[in-house]
Amino acid sequence: MMGGLGYIKAFLLIALVVFLFGFAEKRQKSRKISEVAVNFTDTENLYVTEEAVNKLLIQNKVASSGIGKETLDLNRVEGLLNKHEMIENAEVYVTLDGKLEANVSQRKPIGRLVGNSSFYLDRNGELMPLSEYYSARVPLLFGFDGATVKEVYPLLKYIKNDEFLTQHITQISRVNTNRFDLQMRKMDFTVYFGNAENIELKFNNFKAFYKKALKDNKLDAYRKVNLQFGNQVVCTKK
C-alpha cells in the first residue's frame, strides 16, 4: 500500500502536471498571430488574390499589430471574408504555432452580361462583379439587365455542366421574355433556342444535328437552326 509520503509525492506530481498544462495553455492562448496563410480550394484562375485577402484582414485589424490568439474572433474573421464580393465560402482556423489559415472558395461565374453595365452571373444564380485580376471565359449575355438576367440561369447552368456546350456556345441573346438565341464558336448559324424549358431535350436534338451535319460536312450550309419545335430540329439554309 502507498504510504503517506507516497500520497504526497503523487499529489505534488498531479499538481505539477496541472500547473504545467495550465501554464502551457495560457501561454499558447497569449501567443501572437505570427502570419496569415490563404489557401484557395481549387486551382482555377483567381478572381481575388492572396494579397487582396491579406489586405482585407489588415484593414480590419485582424492578424495585425500582434493581436493575440485568445482575443481573435474566428467567426468574425470568417464573416469578413464571406462578405467579400469574390468569395463564396471561407473557413478560418489558427495553428498551434500561431499561424492564421484561411481556406477560401471563390465564386464561379457562368455567364457575363454585356451592356450599359457589365457583371457576371455566378453558379448560384447571383450577380457577381467583374474581377480586376482575371476575365472568365464564359458565354456573353446580350439584351439582359440586373432584373432579367436570372431568366437565363437554368440554361447557363446546364451549359456549364456539359463539356461540348461549354466549348461551343459563346453568346446568349435575349430576344423576348424568356426566349433566347445562341451563337456558336466558329459557326455562321444562329441557334433559336426559345424559352428555358425542355433544355435537355433541345440540346440532345442539337447535338444529334451537329454530329450529322459535321459528318456530312454541311455545318456551313445553314444560317438558322431552330430547336423550338418539340422533338425536331428545323434548319434554314443560306
Side-chain angles (χ1 to χ4, degrees), residues 89-220:
N89 185 61
E91 296 181 356
V92 179
Y93 60 94
V94 178
T95 63
L96 292 176
D97 59 354
K99 180 188 293 184
L100 177 67
E101 297 215 7
N103 292 332
V104 175
S105 298
Q106 298 183 99
R107 297 175 69 184
K108 306 295 191 302
I110 59 175
R112 176 174 175 170
L113 184 140
V114 179
N116 294 331
S117 59
S118 295
F119 49 82
Y120 293 122
L121 192 69
D122 75 6
R123 64 178 177 180
N124 296 315
E126 301 296 330
L127 304 186
M128 172 182 172
L130 303 184
S131 169
E132 62 180 295
Y133 304 106
Y134 182 75
S135 180
R137 189 178 181 182
V138 292
L140 301 178
L141 309 176
F142 292 89
F144 297 90
D145 56 29
T148 61
V149 70
K150 291 189 177 182
E151 293 177 2
V152 76
Y153 173 64
L155 193 57
L156 283 171
K157 187 177 180 181
Y158 191 94
I159 292 171
K160 180 64 176 178
N161 292 324
D162 187 286
E163 183 178 356
F164 172 85
L165 299 176
T166 298
Q167 179 182 354
H168 286 87
I169 295 177
T170 60
Q171 177 180 317
I172 303 176
S173 299
R174 184 178 187 264
V175 294
N176 212 327
T177 302
N178 204 26
R179 291 185 180 275
F180 315 110
D181 290 349
L182 314 179
Q183 296 296 327
M184 312 295 294
R185 191 180 310 279
K186 298 181 180 180
M187 298 297 163
D188 289 336
F189 58 76
T190 297
V191 178
Y192 287 28
F193 192 86
N195 57 32
E197 297 178 0
N198 300 317
I199 295 175
E200 183 175 7
L201 174 63
K202 290 178 180 178
F203 275 134
N204 284 342
N205 290 341
F206 176 74
K207 288 178 182 179
F209 152 78
Y210 184 94
K211 183 177 180 180
K212 179 67 165 57
L214 180 63
K215 180 180 178 181
D216 296 340
N217 197 27
K218 292 184 177 180
L219 283 174
D220 294 332

Side-chain angles (χ1 to χ4, degrees), residues 221-236:
Y222 305 103
R223 63 178 178 85
K224 182 171 68 175
V225 176
N226 198 329
L227 307 179
Q228 299 180 78
F229 300 104
N231 196 29
Q232 59 180 327
V233 177
V234 178
C235 300
T236 303

